[in-house]
């Protein structure tokens, strides 16, 4: 029973699901809980042992040839049994409440219970000095169940009653110093031990609180990371779908319209050619989608110059099918070398987005894509002689293409420069380090889900 930490108390730090016994040993809160449990059990066992010892010593004293006790022996046994029942009932009620098995909270009755225990002990002490040593567990109960000031006063009064009873029961002329020093020493020891127990309990409670806060923070962090991962994966899927399907479908729409016009003009040969390009574009987009499903973000295995040259050829073929006069040339500057996968992917996607804008919005006749291999960086320049635009003018359409492209390139430690003017065409100049820095490489996974967009030049529309 208790109004603070109970004699049994609730678990200081309940073991979490999945924790092993070794984890509990390593947990300071678990170790403190074990110490507190040992102290509580020792207190209860000590009280029971001292009460039993007093009854046994009193019974043996009755059989000796010495003087008969001042009081009738008939009173000792019922009082001792009642004390044992009261003590056991109180501790059992508190134990059930601590385990959640009892509905009644014994804390409000703890001091009344303590008063009954002390009164019964005083009765036994008057009857026989054999029950004097029960005072020591009572010291702990008083310090535990009462406020600090009242507990110390209770210990002082109990010590005084014990000394007085021992002096009254002692034989005339026997030394009395030990009868005073012993109880006083025991009381001082009980005070120090009880204060240490309370300090341990407070420490255990603080550890339990901190452990609970840590578990809550860990759960919140895990939920936040999970949500961030979901959003990142969603963005990555959106980018891959855009790169593999949306670009192809947009081109298919343009070429299908051109094929429809050819059919209206009864130009079957041209319509067949354009439908063949539609079929090739659809097959290519389908294959890219399958590769993405099998191994998202994987490299095709081809060198970057080969990929860009094939992209230029496909763009020019799509332009012819869409009745556009656009011709696309590919150039390589410097000595080609192996390019890291993340750089190849970024530059390929940037090229796809830029050429798609040139085809749909620039109205250009010529476009040049130049890949440069410098000593410490790679360059990618996309030029067209189209209508151009004012870079500082408000974007038409979604207007996010250039911003996403900048984010992706800057995540690799690179830069994007846009130069354009009405009637003077557009140049998109990209610079990236030949080998991404460690911090840039770590950001690739986070930013790889961002769609570079198809509106790189800021013109209207989106694929």
């Amino acid at each position: 029973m208790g109004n603070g930490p109970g004699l049994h108390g609730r678990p200081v730090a309940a073991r979490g699901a999945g924790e092993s016994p070794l984890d509990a040993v390593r947990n300071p809160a678990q170790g403190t809980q074990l110490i507190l449990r040992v102290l509580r059990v020792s207190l209860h066992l000590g009280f029971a042992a001292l009460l039993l010892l007093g009854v046994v010593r009193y019974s043996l004293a009755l059989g000796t040839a010495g003087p008969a006790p001042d009081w009738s022996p008939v009173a000792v046994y019922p009082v001792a049994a009642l004390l044992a029942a009261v003590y056991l009932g109180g501790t059992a009620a508190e134990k059930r409440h601590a385990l959640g098995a009892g509905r009644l909270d014994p804390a409000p009755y703890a001091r009344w219970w303590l008063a009954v225990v002390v009164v019964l002990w005083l009765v036994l002490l008057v009857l026989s000095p054999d029950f004097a040593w029960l005072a020591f567990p009572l010291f702990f109960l008083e310090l535990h169940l009462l406020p600090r000031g009242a507990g110390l006063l209770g210990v002082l009064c109990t010590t005084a009653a014990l000394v007085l009873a021992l002096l009254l029961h002692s034989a005339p002329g026997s030394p009395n110093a030990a009868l005073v020093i012993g109880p006083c020493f025991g009381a001082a020891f009980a005070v120090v031990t009880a204060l240490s127990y309370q300090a341990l309990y407070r420490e255990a409670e603080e550890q339990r609180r901190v452990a609970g806060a840590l578990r809550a923070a860990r759960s919140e962090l895990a939920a936040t990371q999970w949500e961030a991962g979901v959003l990142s994966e969603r963005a990555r899927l959106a980018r891959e779908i855009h790169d593999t399907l949306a670009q192809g479908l947009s081109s298919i729409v343009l070429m299908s319209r051109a094929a429809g016009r050819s059919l209206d003009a009864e130009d079957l040969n041209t319509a067949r050619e354009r439908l063949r390009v539609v079929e090739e574009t659809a097959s290519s987009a389908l294959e890219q989608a399958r590769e993405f499903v099998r191994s998202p973000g994987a490299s095709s295995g081809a060198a970057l110059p080969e990929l860009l040259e094939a992209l230029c050829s496909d763009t020019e073929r799509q332009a012819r099918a869409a009745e556009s006069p656009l011709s696309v040339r590919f150039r390589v500057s410097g000595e080609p070398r192996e390019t890291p996968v993340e750089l190849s992917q970024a530059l390929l996607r940037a090229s796809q987005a830029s050429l798609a804008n040139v085809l749909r919005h620039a109205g250009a006749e010529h476009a040049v894509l130049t890949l440069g291999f410098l000593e410490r960086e790679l360059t990618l320049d996309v030029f067209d002689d189209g209508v151009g635009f004012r870079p500082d003018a408000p974007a038409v359409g979604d207007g996010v293409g250039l911003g996403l492209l900048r984010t992706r390139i800057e995540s690799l430690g690179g830069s994007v420069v846009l130069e354009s003017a009405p009637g003077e065409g557009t140049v998109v100049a990209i610079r990236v380090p030949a080998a991404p820095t460690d911090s840039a490489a770590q950001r690739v996974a986070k930013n790889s889900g961002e769609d570079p967009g198809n509106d790189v030049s800021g013109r209207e529309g989106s694929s």
Side-chain angles (χ1 to χ4, degrees):
M1 304 181 66
N3 58 348
L7 291 179
H8 295 283
R10 56 189 171 86
V12 175
R15 182 179 301 173
E19 291 186 4
S20 65
L22 182 59
D23 295 329
V25 172
R26 293 173 178 171
N27 189 345
Q30 294 286 346
T32 306
Q33 179 189 10
L34 178 60
I35 295 174
L36 296 176
R37 186 182 297 115
V38 170
L39 289 175
R40 290 191 294 266
V41 172
S42 299
L43 174 64
H44 299 326
L45 292 179
F47 187 91
L50 290 174
L51 180 60
L52 179 61
L53 179 62
V55 172
V56 172
R57 285 175 57 86
Y58 181 79
S59 300
L60 294 177
L62 292 178
T64 62
D70 297 334
W71 290 69
S72 171
V74 178
V76 172
Y77 298 113
V79 174
L82 181 59
L83 176 58
V86 171
Y87 189 91
L88 180 61
T91 56
E94 191 228 6
K95 180 66 175 179
R96 286 176 55 82
H97 180 72
L99 297 177
R103 297 181 179 179
L104 178 63
D105 184 5
Y109 310 100
R111 296 177 185 177
W112 291 102
W113 172 81
L114 176 62
V116 174
V117 170
V118 171
V119 169
L120 292 175
W121 169 72
L122 289 174
V123 173
L124 290 176
L125 185 61
V126 172
L127 293 174
S128 172
D130 296 318
F131 298 95
W133 310 118
L134 280 172
F136 296 108
L138 290 179
F139 291 154
F140 291 100
L141 290 175
E142 291 167 343
L143 292 170
H144 182 70
L145 298 178
L146 300 176
R148 177 168 297 183
L152 294 175
L153 180 60
V155 170
L156 181 61
C157 294
T158 302
T159 304
L162 175 59
V163 171
L164 179 60
L166 291 177
L167 292 176
L168 292 177
H169 284 290
S170 62
S174 61
N176 296 325
L179 301 179
V180 177
I181 296 176
C184 292
F185 178 82
F189 177 79
V191 170
V192 173
T193 304
L195 294 179
S196 301
Y197 173 91
Q198 292 175 359
L200 279 174
Y201 180 84
R202 287 193 296 269
E203 179 185 356
E205 282 294 292
E206 179 64 17
Q207 290 176 347
R208 182 191 63 80
R209 186 192 65 80
V210 172
L214 179 61
R215 286 193 294 271
R218 185 183 301 170
S219 299
E220 183 178 355
L221 177 61
T224 302
Q225 290 178 337
W226 180 84
E227 182 178 358
V230 170
L231 294 176
S232 176
E233 180 66 9
R234 183 180 300 170
R236 186 184 67 84
L237 289 174
R239 179 188 65 82
E240 293 296 339
I241 291 174
H242 170 271
D243 291 340
T244 57
L245 296 179
Q247 294 282 15
L249 291 175
S250 179
S251 298
I252 289 173
V253 169
L254 292 177
M255 290 181 288
S256 298
R257 291 172 180 171
R261 289 192 294 269
S262 299
L263 290 175
D264 292 339
E266 297 183 354
D267 187 354
L268 298 182
N269 291 332
T270 302
R272 291 191 188 95
E273 176 64 21
R274 290 172 178 173
L275 289 176
R276 184 181 64 81
V277 175
V278 168
E279 180 181 359
E280 292 177 355
T281 303
S283 298
S284 176
L286 179 61
E287 181 60 28
Q288 292 180 48
R290 288 172 175 170
E291 289 180 359
F292 161 64
V293 172
R294 288 193 296 265
S295 181
S299 173
S300 64
L304 180 59
E306 298 176 5
L307 294 173
L308 296 182
E309 185 174 11
L311 173 63
C312 292
S313 299
D314 290 341
T315 303
E316 189 168 324
R317 185 168 61 254
Q318 292 174 16
R320 289 196 302 269
E323 300 178 329
S324 170
L326 177 66
S327 65
V328 184
R329 297 175 56 190
F330 174 66
R331 295 176 179 176
V332 176
S333 174
E335 185 67 24
R337 58 179 179 271
E338 185 177 357
T339 307
V341 174
E342 60 270 18
L343 293 185
S344 296
Q345 289 288 329
L347 296 178
L348 176 61
R349 299 312 184 198
S351 301
Q352 289 174 330
S354 299
L355 291 180
N357 277 322
V358 172
L359 175 61
R360 296 177 193 123
H361 311 302
E365 295 184 0
H366 302 90
V368 179
L369 189 151
T370 304
L371 174 65
F373 291 90
L374 304 182
E375 181 178 358
R376 295 185 178 180
E377 65 180 6
L378 298 180
T379 65
L380 180 70
D381 299 318
V382 182
F383 163 77
D384 70 77
D385 60 358
V387 296
F389 66 103
R390 290 176 54 192
D392 56 348
V396 181
D398 56 32
V400 299
L402 181 59
L404 293 177
L405 176 60
R406 288 187 189 277
T407 300
R408 181 166 191 169
I409 296 301
E410 289 175 357
S411 72
L412 298 173
S415 63
V416 178
V417 176
L418 178 65
E419 297 180 0
S420 184
E424 297 184 6
T426 302
V427 176
V428 178
I430 298 174
R431 302 291 184 271
V432 292
T437 61
D438 293 340
S439 58
Q442 293 171 358
R443 294 194 299 267
V444 170
K446 294 182 180 180
N447 294 294
S448 61
E450 297 178 359
D451 180 8
N454 59 351
D455 192 18
V456 177
S457 60
R459 301 185 182 93
E460 63 177 348
S462 61
S463 58

